[in-house]
Amino acid sequence: MSFLEVSNLQVSFPTEDGIVHAVDGVSFSVERGKVLAVVGESGSGKSVTSQAVMGLLNRKATQISGSVVLDGQDLLAMDDKDVRKLRGGKMAMIFQDPLSSLHPYYRISKQLIEAVRVHQNVSKSDARKQAVSMLDQVGIPAPERRIDDYPHQLSGGMRQRVMIAMALLNNPSLLIADEPTTALDVTVQAQIIELIQQIQQVSDAAIIFITHDLGVVAEVAHDVLVMYAGRVVEYAPVETLYEQPQMPYTLGLMASIPRLDRDPNVRLDPIPGNPPSLINLPSGCSFNPRCTFSDQVADGRCSVELPDLVSAGEGHLVRCHLPIETRKTLSAETLAALKGGVL
Amino acid sequence: MAGYVTRRVLIMVLMLLVLTFAVFLLFNLLPADVARLTCGKICTPQTLEANRIKLGLDQPVLMQFWYFFKGLFVGREYYGGDAPIACPAPCLGYSFQRNELVTTLIGQRLPATIWLALGAFVFWMVGGISLGIYSALRRGKWQDKSVMGVSLIGYSLPSFFLGLVMIYVVIIQLKLLPFPRYVSPFENPVQFFQAMLLPWIVLAILYAAFYMRLTRSQMLDAMGEDFIRTARAKGLPERTVIGRHALRAGLTPIVTAAGLDLAGLLGGAIITEALFSLPGIGSLALGAVVNPDQPIIVGTVLITSAFIIIANLIVDLLYAAIDPRVRLE
C-alpha cells in the first residue's frame, strides 16, 4: 500500500440551490519522496480533494465518503480530534494566497512559534530557535530580524516562504501545496518551485502539488492527476502525460500553455465554454459540451453515458469514449501542431 | 505619532468651539429671557434693563460668546446679585436659576453618570460579545435563531418601556430590590449596587443587542478567512482557532463601536437616569431643557461632545494598536 492512498473519495455540500458534487469518486496514491500534481480549472475539485485529505472540511456541513489512508490510518474513519493532531504535524499544507493565509494582526514569530508548540512540547525560546532556523532554510535573509515582522511587511515571495516554513516546522511526511505560486510574480514563482523541489529532495515527504499550470507540472511532478468537474479524467506518470495526453480536456490544457518553442503563427487555443455547474452536471461525460471531438463518437454516447476511467497504457488511466487509436492520433496531431511541426 | 496626536487635539478643540458656538446661537432663538429669570417676582423695567447689562445680554451674541470662550480658559465674573460671582477657569457658565456654577453642577452629577455608563458597559460587552460568539458558532441552528430573535427584541425595545417593566416586575411585584436611591459607592456600596443594578441591566440589554449582532457577523466573516484555515491546518484546537485567531480579527469594529457608545453614555443616559432618579448629567440636561437654562445646556453639550470627540481620538489610537497595518500619520 502506498504512503497516501485515496480511494473513491466523494465530497458533496448541500446548499440552498441543491447538492454540490465537488468531488466524485477520486482515487490516487502518492509515495514518499514523490510529487503528485493535481491539475484542473477552478471548480474542478482539486482544492476540495486536498482539504478533504487534510480534514479541513467541516464534517457537519459536508458529506464525505470513501477512504483516505495515510501511512495505514484511515483519516476519514478517525475522530476529528485525532486528525487534528496529524494536521500541521504528519501532514501539512501550503495555501494559495500567502497574504490572506497569514494572520494580519500577529507577528510571523508568534504564528510560527504557535505552530511548533501545538505539536512539540518545547519552550517558547526553543520554538523560536526552530522557527528562525526554518526561515533560514527556506531562504529568508536575516531571519532573526524578519521573524518579528508582520506579514504585511514582507514581499509576496517572502510571505510564501514563511508559509512554507510554517508547513515544514514539524517535519511533515505529507505536504500539500495548493496552488502555491498562483498569487506570485513569475520570477518569484520560479524560486518557490525550486524551493519545493529542494524540499522534496531533502525531506523524503510525499508531496501533492495542486496547480492549473501544466508548465509548472512538467518541472516538479512524478505523476499527474487531471481533474474535471470533480472527477479524475486522466492519471499518468508525467512523461507519459506530456508525450501522449489522451483525454481531449488534457489536450485542451496543453494547447493553452504559452511556450517559446511553439509556432508563433498557431493561435493560443483556450478551451471553449466554461466549467459546468457542480449542482447540475451535464449528462454523460461532463466535458462533452465543451469537447471538440465528441462528434467522432457514435450514437452521441458522450452526452448519454459517463465513460469509465480505463487503462490506456502502463500506469495511464483515461476517461473518454473515443477509441484508443483515435485518441493517440489526436494526441500526436495536437502536439505536432503546437510545435509547428518542428521537433 | 506625537505629531498626529497634536494635530488631532487641535482639530478637537476647534470642533468643540464650533459646536459650542452653534449651541449658543440656537439658544438665542429660544423664547426665554435670562434677564427676566434673575429679576425676581417684582420686576420693574429698570431692574430688568440693569440686569440685562450686568449679565452682558445687551452685548451682541458674538461678544457674549467671546466672554464665554475667555472664561473657559481664564475664568470670569458674573454680576447677578449684589456681589460679583467668581467663576474660575474652566468656567462653563453660571446658572441664575439655580444660583450655581455650571462647573459645580456638572461636577456633582458626573459620578452617577460615570458609574452608570461603566457598569452598563461591562455588562453589555461581556454579554453581547459572548452571546455573539455563541451565536456565530451555532449559525443557522435554533440557538443562533433564538439569540438573534431575543437581540432583535432588545434592540427594538424603548428604554422607558424596558425600564418601567423592570421597575414594575423587580421592585414593585417581586420586591427583589428597594426603590432606587443613588448614593456614592464609597459611602454605602450595598445601596449603590441596589440602585444601579436595574439601570445597568436596562442599558446593557439595549446595547448588548447591537453587540451580539456585530460580534456574530464579525465572527462569521473572520471564520471564512484564509488565515483561519491556516490556523486549523496547523492543528490548533478549535478553541484557540476561535478565541485567538477569529476573535482577534473581528475585534476592530467592536472596539470602535464600544468606544463611541461608552462616550455617548458618559454624556448622560437621559431616559434611564430620569426613570431611576439617578442624579446624572442626563437628568441635569433634561431639567435645563424643560425649564430653559442656557448656561447648563451649553455646559452639558460641551462636556458631552468633549467626551465623544476624545473617545474618537482614543478609538483611533486603539485602532492602530489593534491593527499593525494601520499607520498614524
Side-chain angles (χ1 to χ4, degrees), chain B residues 27-294:
Chain B
F27 203 86
N28 264 271
L29 302 175
L30 285 180
D33 187 349
V34 180
R36 176 69 190 81
L37 295 171
T38 59
C39 187
K41 277 184 182 148
I42 310 151
C43 186
T44 63
Q46 288 81 4
T47 341
L48 187 65
E49 205 45 44
N51 276 358
R52 201 182 296 285
I53 293 168
K54 272 197 238 170
L55 293 171
L57 294 173
D58 55 333
Q59 306 270 354
V61 184
L62 220 53
M63 279 314 283
Q64 290 182 37
F65 183 66
W66 168 244
Y67 290 137
F68 175 78
F69 182 64
K70 223 170 78 182
L72 278 176
F73 296 95
V74 296
R76 65 188 284 197
E77 285 187 334
Y78 286 95
Y79 307 94
D82 304 321
I85 301 148
C87 178
C91 175
L92 291 173
Y94 183 83
S95 164
F96 286 99
Q97 287 185 46
R98 294 171 183 244
N99 290 321
E100 282 273 20
L101 291 175
V102 174
T103 329
T104 315
L105 284 171
I106 289 180
Q108 289 166 352
R109 302 304 195 99
L110 210 48
T113 292
I114 291 178
W115 287 122
L116 177 64
L118 285 182
F121 179 77
V122 170
F123 273 91
W124 94 59
M125 289 302 275
V126 172
I129 291 179
S130 42
L131 280 171
I133 295 174
Y134 177 79
S135 208
L137 294 182
R138 283 172 182 59
R139 173 190 201 171
K141 303 230 170 67
W142 66 268
Q143 295 100 323
D144 175 28
K145 283 174 185 151
S146 29
V147 168
M148 283 304 112
V150 169
S151 94
L152 189 63
I153 297 173
Y155 203 46
S156 15
L157 279 182
S159 55
F160 60 84
F161 175 74
L162 191 60
L164 283 176
V165 170
M166 287 277 192
I167 292 177
Y168 180 73
V169 174
V170 179
I171 297 177
I172 298 177
Q173 286 298 316
L174 302 176
K175 296 189 169 55
L176 293 174
L177 288 170
F179 270 96
R181 219 174 58 78
Y182 177 83
V183 289
S184 159
F186 306 110
E187 213 172 280
N188 185 345
V190 175
Q191 195 186 334
F192 168 77
F193 278 106
Q194 284 174 342
M196 297 304 280
L197 194 60
L198 283 188
W200 278 339
I201 291 174
V202 168
L203 281 181
I205 288 177
L206 298 177
Y207 281 85
F210 170 71
Y211 284 83
M212 276 182 217
R213 295 180 159 258
L214 182 64
T215 308
R216 177 180 180 273
S217 74
Q218 281 299 311
M219 286 300 285
L220 288 179
D221 279 355
M223 300 293 278
E225 293 279 359
D226 286 351
F227 54 78
I228 293 302
R229 194 181 53 189
T230 310
R232 292 208 176 102
K234 280 184 198 176
L236 292 176
E238 198 60 17
R239 198 159 25 90
T240 316
V241 172
I242 291 158
R244 203 182 294 163
H245 289 246
L247 187 58
R248 179 73 170 76
L251 206 59
T252 319
I254 300 175
V255 170
T256 311
L260 297 181
D261 275 345
L262 179 62
L265 268 187
L266 285 175
I270 294 178
I271 293 170
T272 311
E273 284 179 12
L275 265 179
F276 294 94
S277 29
L278 293 173
I281 301 283
S283 50
L284 180 68
L286 183 64
V289 171
V290 172
N291 215 342
D293 194 342
Q294 185 209 19

Side-chain angles (χ1 to χ4, degrees), chain A residues 51 54 56 60 84-85 87-89 91-93 95-97 99-106 110-112 114-115 118-119 150 152-153 163 166 170 178, chain B residues 137 141 225-238 240-241 243-253 319 321-327:
Chain A
Q51 290 183 27
M54 287 288 289
L56 286 175
K60 286 172 201 154
R84 172 175 79 69
K85 287 178 183 152
R87 266 204 303 272
M91 55 181 181
M93 189 157 176
F95 298 98
Q96 182 172 3
D97 183 356
L99 180 57
S100 61
S101 297
L102 287 164
H103 201 298
Y105 297 166
Y106 290 130
K110 189 176 165 76
Q111 304 191 41
L112 291 178
E114 184 182 57
V118 201
H119 297 282
Y150 286 100
H152 71 274
Q153 293 170 302
M163 284 303 292
M166 187 184 284
N170 296 303
D178 187 357
Chain B
L137 294 182
K141 303 230 170 67
E225 293 279 359
D226 286 351
F227 54 78
I228 293 302
R229 194 181 53 189
T230 310
R232 292 208 176 102
K234 280 184 198 176
L236 292 176
E238 198 60 17
T240 316
V241 172
R244 203 182 294 163
H245 289 246
L247 187 58
R248 179 73 170 76
L251 206 59
T252 319
Y319 198 94
I322 293 178
D323 187 342
R325 290 170 300 184
V326 174
R327 288 275 156 277

